[in-house]
Amino acid sequence: MTRPTTGEPGPSPARLRHARFAIAAVFCAHGAVTGSFATRIPWIQQHAGLSAGTLGLALAFPALGAALAMPLAGRINHRFGARNALRGLLALWTLSLILPSLAPDLAVLCCALFVYGATSGMADVAMNALGVETENRLGRSIMSSLHGMWSVGALLGSAAGTVAAHAGADARLHHLVAALVLTAAGLAAVRGVLDVRGDRDAEAPAHFALPPRSALLIGLVGFCAVFAEGASLDWSGVYLRDVLHTDAGLAAASTTAFALTMALARLAGDRVVDRFGAVRTVRAGGALATAGGLLVVTVRHPAAALGGFALIGLGIAVVVPLAFAAAARSGPAPAQAIAGVATITYTSGLIAPSAIGAVADATSLVVSFALVTLLAFALIAGATVLRGRGAPGTAGAVNQDEPASMRP
């Protein structure tokens, strides 16, 4: 069994606090790349001369690249150590922001987005593995707020992108400047994270390996949450417009309500997890998301739908951070388990929008969101697989099944 070690044995409380802020800054930088890219998709579409259909095809390639590359992150972590691996992978991710806006046509854009997604996924695994290790050593939950910082970064990146687009800036110049700034900020932040290294005598993880069964079950819980997230983000506005016949402004507000409640819930989620434990928190979140889904599909009123989507966002917000944390504690290879869970959740995010559309074409959007409600309800039963246990050989590991007051 691999026992994680660190290049800095027994870090002091002050060092751990610094490491927490450093990994939070890494999450923020990672999210800022996504926000920067998303705001310039219309420019990229026009520059490459793409139709809506071919753009949709191209936008599937980031998820494909991430799903194929994430299993490699565990081996990279083992080979170079967590800090060095994160330094290299984060820099590749931030610099990959330059590529999509340079693409002159569909084929080149697909290749650029594949690289963009692959580097994103590997950096995602590396930073989540270090986030869990930092949480273990602190002895309290931080994963929810780390993912909240990712949302903050995405909002900052999208805000800067909106300003650039409004000013008519060329996306190639915008993304070059953003990539250089975020690379510098990310590398500065990585200097403060923990330097965790595996047992040198342990066998290196396989290049591609299935995660343990426990991580697969955890991944299914994450699948339900990410499916509900992807469906709500992409289809809530359409639901208000086409089913409830609202104007465009109110329809757009549904997406804002959903995203805002998710970000706020993640920033505040650690206190809830520390008080009630992961299992109870996810059960309560599943109940809130289910109630929100029922509001959406049964009460045909815009105010009810807005409240319903906000409740869905609130209910599922902490599920993915807790799934990554549980995966890292499910066996002796945290990065491999996180990669397995992340692959499943990325797949869910990829298929959710199209699945909702297919169900809506065959039946109606109301039936589509009834499916989302059922998956939210599944979180109540599935929460037990997030029952925490300490990471092997890690002092101060968090047992997230217990409230903080019950932990030894």
Side-chain angles (χ1 to χ4, degrees):
M1 180 177 291
T2 302
R3 292 182 176 272
T5 59
T6 180
E8 302 162 300
S12 67
R15 173 71 184 91
L16 287 174
R17 286 194 297 271
H18 180 71
R20 178 190 177 179
F21 291 132
I23 195 64
V26 169
F27 272 77
C28 188
H30 192 286
V33 176
T34 301
S36 298
F37 168 72
T39 54
R40 305 314 303 269
I41 289 176
W43 189 98
I44 293 170
Q45 178 185 12
Q46 184 178 26
H47 177 69
L50 305 181
S51 67
T54 52
L55 176 63
L57 172 64
L59 292 177
F61 275 78
L64 179 62
L68 292 176
M70 280 189 292
L72 297 172
R75 192 174 183 89
I76 294 171
N77 262 19
H78 179 88
R79 172 68 176 83
F80 298 103
R83 182 192 289 166
N84 287 334
L86 181 59
R87 180 182 290 116
L89 293 173
L90 184 66
L92 287 174
W93 160 235
T94 52
L95 290 173
S96 74
L97 176 61
I98 298 170
L99 300 178
S101 60
L102 298 177
D105 54 39
L106 176 63
V108 177
L109 180 60
C110 288
C111 292
L113 290 177
F114 183 91
V115 173
Y116 173 86
T119 55
S120 170
M122 290 190 291
D124 195 311
V125 171
M127 72 188 191
N128 273 284
L130 261 176
V132 172
E133 179 65 20
T134 306
E135 177 178 90
N136 287 339
R137 292 174 182 267
L138 282 168
R140 54 191 172 86
S141 176
I142 64 169
M143 288 300 292
S144 179
S145 62
L146 291 182
H147 282 253
M149 287 301 297
W150 188 96
S151 297
V152 169
L155 289 171
L156 291 174
S158 62
T162 299
V163 171
H166 184 72
D170 189 304
R172 291 168 293 190
L173 176 61
H174 165 214
H175 283 167
L176 174 62
V177 173
L180 294 177
V181 170
L182 291 172
T183 299
L187 291 177
V190 170
R191 293 177 62 185
V193 304
L194 295 177
D195 188 16
V196 182
R197 296 180 181 271
D199 188 341
R200 293 181 180 178
D201 296 328
E203 183 179 353
H207 287 92
F208 292 95
L210 291 174
R213 182 182 176 186
S214 56
L216 288 173
L217 294 174
I218 293 166
L220 290 177
V221 173
F223 181 98
C224 293
V226 173
F227 192 100
E229 178 182 351
S232 298
L233 279 173
D234 288 359
W235 286 95
S236 59
V238 178
Y239 185 92
L240 264 79
R241 184 193 65 194
D242 292 353
V243 176
L244 303 181
H245 309 294
T246 66
D247 60 37
L250 189 58
S254 65
T255 304
T256 303
F258 178 85
L260 183 60
T261 53
M262 275 202 71
L264 293 176
R266 282 180 169 174
L267 290 172
D270 291 323
R271 292 184 180 181
V272 178
V273 175
D274 277 334
R275 181 167 182 178
F276 298 105
V279 174
R280 293 174 188 168
T281 300
V282 172
R283 281 177 179 160
L288 285 174
T290 301
L294 289 173
L295 270 177
V296 170
V297 300
T298 61
V299 183
R300 305 295 178 81
H301 190 279
L306 287 171
F309 285 119
L311 282 176
I312 293 173
L314 182 64
I316 67 173
V318 301
V319 176
V320 171
L322 292 178
F324 284 151
R329 301 185 183 99
S330 66
Q336 181 183 337
I338 289 174
V341 170
T343 301
I344 295 171
T345 58
Y346 267 68
T347 302
S348 179
L350 175 64
I351 69 173
S354 58
I356 291 296
V359 173
D361 283 342
T363 56
S364 70
L365 266 178
V366 175
V367 175
S368 294
F369 278 99
L371 173 61
V372 171
T373 304
L374 286 175
L375 291 175
F377 182 77
L379 294 174
I380 300 173
T384 55
V385 304
L386 303 182
R387 195 176 301 279
R389 82 181 180 210
T394 303
V398 180
N399 180 355
Q400 288 192 333
D401 186 43
E402 296 178 350
S405 59
M406 296 175 61
R407 295 176 195 151

